[in-house]
Amino acid sequence: MLRYTLSRLVSLGLSLVVASLVIFAVIEVIPGDPASFMLGMNAADDTVAALREQLGLNGTLAERYLAWVGGMLLGDFGVSYTYRVPVADLIAARMQVSVPLTVYALVLSTSIAIPVGLIAAARQGKATDLAVMATTQMGVAVPNFWFAMILVLIFAVNLRWFPSGGFPGWDKGVWLNLKALTLPAIALALPQASILARVMRSSVLETLSQDYIRTARAKGLTRTQAVLRHAFRNALIPVLTILGLQFSFLLAGAIIIENVFFLPGLGRLIFQGITQRDLIVVESVVMLLVGAVIVVNFLVDLAYAAVDPRLRARA
Amino acid sequence: MTGRWTLVLGAVLAGVFALAALVSLVWVPVPVETFAVSFKLKPIGTPGFPLGTDHFGRDILSMLMVGARTSIAVAIVAVGIGIAFGVPLGLLAAAQRGGLVDELVMRGNDLVFAFPSLVIAILITAVFGPSATNAILAIGIFNIPVFARVTRGGALSLWTLDYIRAAEVAGKGRARISMEHILPNIANLLIVQGTIQFSLGILAEAGLSYVGLGAQPPIPSWGRMLAEAQTMIVMAPHMAILPGLAIVLTVLGLNLMGDGLRDLLDPRLRRTR
């Protein structure tokens, strides 16, 4: 296990370095330089020069890259040009919305998908299974931001059960905020739950065709008993991998969903950064999101190896 | 449902929108540049505007038809980019297994799995400016490693077969074998993957244009129609419902087509489904 962990750690480090290089390169290839891009076409030369100095754009490429990465490692993400506050503070404030939203959606999607997939597999070919397959086929095709709008139309505008947008802030109490995050979390969770339920179903079916299940059935277990006692745990392994991948879809999805519901999270921050040409904010938030995904996938790899010894042997 | 029926249903659904897009090239009920403000926010079923009008009095049916063109065009070119670069890379990687290209393809894949593609698409369009072309690039770049992986995987399993060995012994070069024997035999795989990437492309284009990073006005796109509908959702819910349905039905059609094709082309997969 130690050897496997070490090899995954090396690849984690490499992925983070490559990701930071890609993001840095994209920002670097902007026509002109970031300072004049941020200030617009009509900026005076000395203003641009002052901003160049402030952003540290006068160094070489390597110096600038190392300063950016080094700063981030120490928790210094630079100072936002438009907000005039440290980007780290902005990110910390926005994470209080984005992280609970992502976790909420992940919990919803998993707690719906796993039982649904299990039931569909246990009743393969029956009406329940067909209904699950048809519903999840639809779920995969629905863009989450459109689903969000439909949810608003039904549950906020017509039924008035939930607010149509905005976020009261955690100091106003947990209940109000959970209510504000419920529709966005459902909108995010639906497509992911559909994918997950399908993976769960085919994974259970795959497991059910194994010899040890036949043995269990031969001992007199019913199909449902065999699914619950033997197939379920083994079928969870591929589901774990998909769950890790879904984290990145949820994060990306949250960027758009936050805009639908006017939630002050990281996604809104990126778009505000883009419209205000605040590249320091955009660059750092993107790196943070990508970094989070890479770290989560690393953790999933470790969990996967802990569950399945064959993987450790292969490393 | 059998593969054949899934395929037919999917093809009909996707075909309707493809046809609408084609027809829109020569004819639309009302030109989308026509702003009939006195007819604004008309509901579904208004004479002359079968699917109603939007807040500028534009005909929603016509907008949907032209929007289909935008979505399909973006997705086709993005899949094209993926195939044009990904397939040769995958073939090369498999032909020189363990070589530099192989390593590059595999690492590129790891990277794509780690990156939330939408985040990078946002970054690209943010830097280069929002436009349909940049949306295509952003979506297309992520298709390259996908096709490279599928091609490589399919090709690797073929390289171990006897008839490929025979072709090698007969003196054919690896490039020629790749083109003459490997490529035709993995075409099925590529068609299925192409359908899947096509539907993902439609969803990605809708997402990007919804947040304003896709096709720019006055070109109608489904995503932007939804963005514009958001503030009107109470007064004119049909403005929000119709473009969304168009996206759902097109993507559903393509997914069904992909499933049906896979079942028909690869009977081994039927068991577990």
Side-chain angles (χ1 to χ4, degrees), chain B residues 28 30-36 56-59 62-63 66 69 218-220:
Chain B
V28 286
V30 184
V32 290
E33 302 82 29
T34 310
F35 287 53
F56 292 126
R58 287 175 296 185
D59 178 41
S62 310
M63 297 273 288
V66 185
R69 199 163 80 199
I219 307 167

Side-chain angles (χ1 to χ4, degrees), chain A residues 15 18-19 22-23 26-27 29-31 37 124 137-138 140-143 145-146 149-150 153 157 198 201-202 205-206 245 248 252-253 255-256 259-260 262 270-271 274 282 286 289-290 293-294 297, chain B residues 1 6 111 113-120 122-124 126-128 203 206-208 210-211 213 223 226-227 229-230 233-234 237 240-245 247-248 251-252 255-256 259 271-273:
Chain A
S15 304
V18 173
V22 169
I23 293 167
V26 170
I27 297 287
V29 294
I30 289 175
F37 178 84
Q124 188 193 7
Q137 186 71 268
M138 281 297 285
V140 176
V142 172
F145 58 93
W146 180 66
M149 288 165 73
I150 301 298
L153 193 61
V157 175
R198 291 174 86 88
R201 175 185 175 275
S202 54
L205 288 180
E206 185 81 37
L245 288 177
S248 82
I255 297 177
I256 291 187
N259 280 282
V260 179
F262 306 102
I270 287 193
F271 277 104
I274 288 173
V282 176
V286 168
L289 292 179
V290 172
V293 170
I294 293 176
N297 283 336
Chain B
M1 207 165 6
T6 316
L111 204 64
F113 270 122
F115 271 72
S117 51
L118 186 77
V119 174
I120 302 308
I122 285 171
L123 188 65
I124 290 176
V127 166
F128 296 102
L203 278 177
L208 282 179
Y210 171 75
V211 291
L213 297 175
L226 283 175
Q230 204 175 344
I233 198 156
V234 180
I241 292 169
L242 293 171
L245 275 182
I247 299 171
V248 172
V251 172
L252 184 66
N255 287 346
L256 289 176
D259 283 358
R271 269 182 310 124
T272 52
R273 292 173 38 82

Side-chain angles (χ1 to χ4, degrees), chain B residues 95 159 162-174 177 181:
Chain B
W159 273 106
D162 287 343
Y163 75 96
I164 301 287
R165 292 263 162 259
E168 249 186 314
V169 173
K172 281 193 184 176
R174 300 209 132 211
I177 294 176
H181 299 293

Side-chain angles (χ1 to χ4, degrees), chain B residues 2-5 7-8 188 258-267 270:
Chain B
T2 60
R4 187 170 316 238
W5 283 106
L7 178 61
V8 169
N188 289 351
D259 283 358
L261 280 172
R262 188 172 45 198
D263 284 358
L264 281 184
L265 300 176
D266 190 352
R270 257 180 235 165

Side-chain angles (χ1 to χ4, degrees), chain A residues 22-83:
Chain A
V22 169
I23 293 167
F24 183 74
V26 170
I27 297 287
E28 279 300 319
V29 294
I30 289 175
D33 72 68
S36 38
F37 178 84
M38 283 163 71
L39 290 168
M41 294 214 293
N42 301 323
D45 286 347
D46 52 340
T47 323
V48 176
L51 183 64
R52 283 185 66 85
E53 185 62 42
Q54 189 199 328
L55 296 178
L57 290 179
N58 292 325
T60 63
L61 263 184
E63 279 169 10
R64 287 191 315 235
Y65 172 73
L66 289 177
W68 176 56
V69 171
M72 276 194 301
L73 286 176
L74 298 172
D76 174 12
F77 288 74
V79 175
S80 157
Y81 181 71
T82 39
Y83 295 92

Side-chain angles (χ1 to χ4, degrees), chain B residues 175-218:
Chain B
R176 200 166 150 207
I177 294 176
S178 292
M179 293 309 293
E180 286 180 9
H181 299 293
I182 307 269
L183 192 57
N185 281 302
I186 57 168
N188 289 351
L189 276 178
L190 295 177
I191 291 170
V192 172
Q193 195 63 42
T195 324
I196 297 169
Q197 295 310 118
F198 193 9
S199 88
L200 289 177
I202 300 244
L203 278 177
E205 192 276 337
L208 282 179
S209 59
Y210 171 75
V211 291
L213 297 175
Q216 294 300 297

